[in-house]
Amino acid sequence: ARFCTTSGVIGRSCIPSSNNREAGLDAASKMAVISIERMGLLSVVCMSLLFSSAFAVDRGNFKTCDQSAFCKRQRALKPGQSPYRALLDTLELSDSRMTLQLINDNNKVHLLLELYRLQGNMTRVKINELKPLKPRFEVPDVLIADPPTEPLSVLSKDENGVVLSLGAESQRLIVSARPFRLDIMEGPEVLLSLNSHGLLAFEHLRLRKDTQAQPDGAEVKDNVDEAQQQEEGDKEEEGERDKEESGLWEETFKSHTDTKPNGPTSISLDFSLPGVEHVYGIPEHADSLKLKTTDGGDPYRLYNLDVFQYELYNPMALYGSVPVMLAHNAQRTMGIFWLNAAETWVDISSNTAGKTVFGKMLDFVQGSSETPQTDIRWISESGIIDVFIMLGPKPADVFSQYASLTGTQSFPPLASLAYHQCRWNYNDQDDVCSVDQGFDQHDIPYDFIWLDIEHTDGKRYFTWDPHKFSQPKEMLQGISDKKRKMVAIVDPHIKVDSGYKIHNEITSKDFYTKNKEGGNYEGWCWPGNSGYPDFTNPEMQAWWASMFAYDQYEGSMENLFTWNDMNEPSVFNGPEVTMHKDALHGTWEHRDIHNLYGLYVHMATVEGQIQRSGGVERPFVLTRAFFAGSQRYGAIWTGDNAAEWDHLKISIPMCLSLGLVGISFCGADVGGFFKHPSTELLVRWYQTGAYQPFFRAHAHLDTPRREPWLFGPENTALIREAIRQRYALLPYWYQLFYHAHTTGMPVMRPLWVEYPMDTATFTIDDQFLLGRDLLVHPVTEEGARGVTAYLPGAGEVWYDVHTFQKHSGAQNLYIPVTLSSIPVFQRGGSIIPKKERVRRSSVCMENDPYTLYVALSPQKFAEGELYIDDGHTFNYDKKKELIHRSLTFAKNVLTSRNLCPDCNFSTPSWIEKILILGASKPSKVLLKVNGKETSVEFEFDTSMSVLTLRKPGMNAGADWTILLR
């Protein structure tokens, strides 16, 4: 249980209430629920343990496609039988778009197709009903602006179709009329096709036959009249199937009934990608980086859910959803962004799936002409079809294209890139103080200590337990005196309690989500009976943000930051542990906006942190649920993992997948949330986490304490060293996030992003790049004595960052390892800044000197950057208060050049050491600053070809040149 006195909770799931509408339980569990209700919320420890097995990893609590009526209907459609035809005589062309109507020849329903050519080599395709009974949901707040368009022009047209120019490089869009189909071509090559398998399906809004109410309004009445004329077509479409059984107007899962006042509204569209065998993205799934085909199994599901102790290597939905897929081959990278926030399933098939390497070689030898192809099918429960096709052609182009639509990763405070110490829960203020002192006593740095739900007064967020945390400002000040910070959890479920200010204000302002009857929607979560604010309401968002003001959030200070958990939203007694789909957010059903809910919670919390400082300080907010655009607001983590080796391994592809779709600030609970790790696993997890973007240790309350010094001196030393390596690299991490913020490039990257033509990299997901210059291959196998790392790049070299040993690229390198080993390599041709005077926190290191690691290429060249600002405000953007310098080594000259002449920032930090790897021994070294030359002390290691320059002494923000003579 999260605590032995909390509502029978087992881990991150909970025994639901006995409400008949909401409880989907077996008899034993129902008895447990009744007991909970009789005994209250504070005395059910034994019962929670008795019935824990009923809830751990129970896939039966979550739907398969066959149990999801719309997915089952859509998947039953046969390819090659498309009823949709383009009515070419309805084509209209303007400066910004082309429109034409489609007709379903089976039921005579008309759809409106809109095509946009967008700036930056993108195409947008929208399909909606021409005259819906009422508006269908279109996702707001995800796009950062209306994407700028470029003119389309008609190249040719006849009765079979129309050809449009997409501008660059002979790109054309072909609209075929019967059946309707879109093809995007470049020269003679088909890049992508839509509806090539005829699986476009658009369930139009219709009147229920037994309750045909007459809406008011002339326009709506016209639509109703048209809908009634379509009744015969609907009957033919539905056939003889029973409406209730097929889930058209009502659907039951376990004992939860989903009323569907709008009837069937699902949509589907297929995409074909000729020449593509590798697709990635659509997080969040605990699966490999390269997406698998779904033939014979369930599609990948995108539906934000609180999944207790999730399983690995399956397509089940998890906490977040980003409906973006990348397709890659040696010639091109493309992306598909399916902008829909409803429950979504994604099918993937390939004509090369299942073929062995030998089989593919045989095809080649025999001259097989079959072109590899991957087919994708998106299925969503409601909304419209709104899809962005990002045509690359390079990986960096796709990242830039997607960033232009949804924004880039927020630029985090530097301290948030350091180490975080968390547990559910630190018991009280004395416990926090003891842990804080423990880090100092064992000489281990950390920047943030975290408080989970037990710090509150009875799970009332924005409060403190009056007994255990009676003096929060005193606690926060003590941490602040050591240049450290705290994170406290603030979840979006609100305890229904007339004595609770937050609940009363939300009630008085009528800000709660409504149930289908129009009353406040309530469900069970950590506090017991809870209300769920309607975060889709801008007024609710603004009010929530105002609650983070220092005069509203009692006990808060400048060094208190926020963690949004359970924001899928998690409803313990709801269907699939989430909100009922027929709950209401204004006029929209929850089914329409479900995957947006967590984004809105995150967004409002971030805004609150920004407002409390008057817009000066950068926020830090961690969220569990997310959607496209969540990267603009902060960090995510991979949820409630387990202390198992496979969970350590899966953290790598999970974070890589998130980075590919814009969310770079990702990490996994170090050590695993559930269960108790062996010392070997814990050490290996620290070593892995130290090289992942978000670095936080976290543990379940029922696990033994696992602060880094509790596993014996030898393991403490190993963990200390891993954390110290993280701190030394913070300058490099920080500039990587600056680039992610300004360009959309992921911080943690698959190898194929930098080596897009190297097919050996396409499926690698046990190693990764940080930026383009550090390659990391964590040790994730129990008892490993060695790992094999692939070093990419023919003609390149890589240097072991620990030994400076040089290795050639384009090879599989076997690396013997011990428990102290963290295989990391620096690319020859790069310059990486570090700060090697590691102190108790990153803020204490702010003005410390830099060490530059110059790793020479075979051509004796290297380049890099140095980025510096104040580390915590928006002044880098608003006032151009930053230092951004280019570092270049060529022809035995190392130069620092200003990349931002208009910027204004100064630093006392200086360059105290430079290591040049792969160097030749010079006779002397000169430093030139402001026209003056001085000699620099140096050492040369002949065996490793490493030149060390000691204390050159120039300011990190100055122009300078070092000459090797």
Side-chain angles (χ1 to χ4, degrees), residues 53-126:
S53 62
F55 300 96
V57 201
D58 185 357
R59 296 184 67 171
N61 284 333
F62 304 100
K63 289 182 179 180
T64 64
C65 180
D66 275 350
Q67 294 169 315
S68 176
F70 79 92
C71 183
K72 185 176 182 180
R73 282 198 308 274
Q74 292 279 11
R75 235 185 174 195
L77 297 178
K78 303 299 182 186
Q81 300 178 13
S82 178
Y84 291 94
R85 173 167 52 93
L87 302 177
L88 297 180
D89 58 346
T90 65
L91 185 149
E92 296 182 7
L93 192 64
S94 70
D95 288 341
S96 62
R97 67 173 183 166
M98 185 211 79
T99 64
L100 62 78
Q101 292 180 32
L102 310 178
I103 186 171
N104 182 328
D105 282 328
N106 289 344
N107 58 23
K108 309 309 178 185
V109 172
H110 285 241
L111 305 178
L112 178 66
L113 168 71
E114 300 175 68
L115 294 175
Y116 299 82
R117 174 188 166 200
L118 303 182
Q119 289 182 12
N121 203 21
M122 294 180 286
T123 299
R124 185 180 192 179
V125 179
K126 294 180 73 173

Side-chain angles (χ1 to χ4, degrees), residues 477-643:
Q477 188 60 54
I479 294 169
S480 179
D481 290 344
K482 294 185 178 181
K483 310 297 184 184
R484 290 169 173 157
K485 310 178 196 311
M486 175 173 278
V487 172
I489 199 166
V490 178
D491 286 349
H493 49 262
I494 302 301
K495 184 178 180 66
V496 176
D497 175 2
S498 61
Y500 179 24
K501 180 187 81 168
I502 298 293
H503 166 68
N504 291 339
E505 288 201 31
I506 295 175
T507 301
S508 67
K509 296 177 184 295
D510 199 26
F511 283 163
Y512 276 123
T513 300
K514 304 302 180 186
N515 59 33
K516 65 186 179 70
E517 290 85 16
N520 288 343
Y521 179 90
E522 294 180 358
W524 275 36
C525 210
W526 299 130
N529 197 37
S530 303
Y532 290 78
D534 182 3
F535 282 93
T536 70
N537 181 346
E539 293 181 7
M540 170 61 209
Q541 295 172 26
W543 176 84
W544 181 265
S546 73
M547 290 298 99
F548 289 90
Y550 299 123
D551 61 350
Q552 294 292 328
Y553 190 168
E554 186 177 349
S556 65
M557 289 177 54
E558 293 85 350
N559 65 329
L560 181 66
F561 296 84
T562 311
W563 172 15
N564 291 148
D565 198 0
M566 317 299 287
N567 54 336
E568 292 76 24
S570 180
V571 183
F572 292 152
N573 61 335
E576 301 191 88
V577 201
T578 194
M579 189 174 284
H580 292 78
K581 288 181 175 179
D582 53 12
L584 295 171
H585 303 269
T587 59
W588 299 110
E589 286 189 288
H590 185 72
R591 85 181 69 250
D592 298 312
I593 68 94
H594 175 83
N595 288 342
L596 285 174
Y597 191 87
L599 169 70
Y600 280 128
V601 176
H602 197 195
M603 181 166 59
T605 303
V606 164
E607 183 59 29
Q609 282 195 11
I610 294 172
Q611 288 180 10
R612 72 179 186 177
S613 71
V616 173
E617 297 290 327
R618 282 180 253 167
F620 173 71
V621 180
L622 178 74
T623 181
R624 191 169 71 177
F626 52 87
F627 190 65
S630 286
Q631 69 271 13
R632 304 197 298 265
Y633 303 106
I636 71 99
W637 90 108
T638 61
D640 297 341
N641 59 2

